[in-house]
Amino acid sequence: MLMLRQNPHDAYRKVQVNARILGSDHKDLVAICFEQVVSELGRAIRANEAGDSTSRSDGLTRAIAAITALEMGLDRSNPVAGALEHLYTAARETILDCVMVFNSEALGEVRADFAEIGAALAGSN
C-alpha cells in the first residue's frame, strides 16, 4: 500500500538502490552512501528552488540517513577515521541547520565535498 503513495520515480530509485546494496561489499556500500548524499542534497536544492517543501525535506532526511550509515560503518582504527567523523558531523549540522533556514550555498559546499571524496574513492577501486 505504501508503494502506491510513492512517486513512481522514487519507487524505482528505491528498488535500484536496494538491488545495488544487496550485491555490495563494504567499499561499495560506502560509495553508495556518498552517492546518496550527493544525489539527495542535489534533490533538496532543486526542490527548494521549485518551492517543493516535501521533496526538499525528503532529500535532507535521506542525506542525513546516508551520513548516519557512513558514521555507523566507520572503522575507528583507521588513521583517517577522525577526519571522516569530523566531516560527517559538520555535514549533519549543516543539513540540520538548513531544515529551519534553507541555505543552498552551504548545502552545495557539503555536496561538492562529498562528490569529491566519492570520486576519489571510486578512483581508488
Side-chain angles (χ1 to χ4, degrees), residues 2-35:
L2 180 61
M3 290 294 273
L4 295 177
R5 287 189 238 157
Q6 285 185 334
N7 172 318
H9 179 265
D10 289 343
Y12 175 77
R13 190 185 79 244
K14 184 182 281 188
V15 168
Q16 187 179 32
V17 170
N18 287 343
R20 283 185 64 203
I21 289 170
L22 288 174
S24 297
D25 63 12
H26 181 73
K27 286 182 180 183
D28 292 335
L29 291 173
V30 169
I32 290 168
C33 287
F34 270 86
E35 290 171 17

Side-chain angles (χ1 to χ4, degrees), residues 33-53:
C33 287
F34 270 86
E35 290 171 17
Q36 287 296 300
V37 172
V38 172
S39 172
E40 294 302 335
L41 290 180
R43 176 183 177 196
I45 292 167
R46 288 187 304 277
N48 186 66
E49 291 168 356
D52 183 351
S53 61

Side-chain angles (χ1 to χ4, degrees), residues 32-113:
I32 290 168
C33 287
F34 270 86
E35 290 171 17
Q36 287 296 300
V37 172
V38 172
S39 172
E40 294 302 335
L41 290 180
R43 176 183 177 196
I45 292 167
R46 288 187 304 277
N48 186 66
E49 291 168 356
D52 183 351
S53 61
T54 301
S55 288
R56 179 185 67 213
S57 177
D58 192 42
L60 295 175
T61 300
R62 289 175 190 230
I64 290 172
I67 290 168
T68 300
L70 286 165
E71 247 179 342
M72 290 173 58
L74 195 56
D75 176 4
R76 306 267 191 261
S77 67
N78 190 310
V80 299
L84 288 172
E85 189 168 23
H86 177 74
L87 171 72
Y88 301 154
T89 299
R92 179 184 295 100
E93 289 173 2
T94 299
I95 294 167
L96 289 173
D97 287 346
C98 289
V99 169
M100 296 304 289
V101 179
F102 199 84
N103 183 337
S104 294
E105 185 176 318
L107 288 179
E109 290 174 13
V110 171
R111 185 173 186 259
D113 289 344

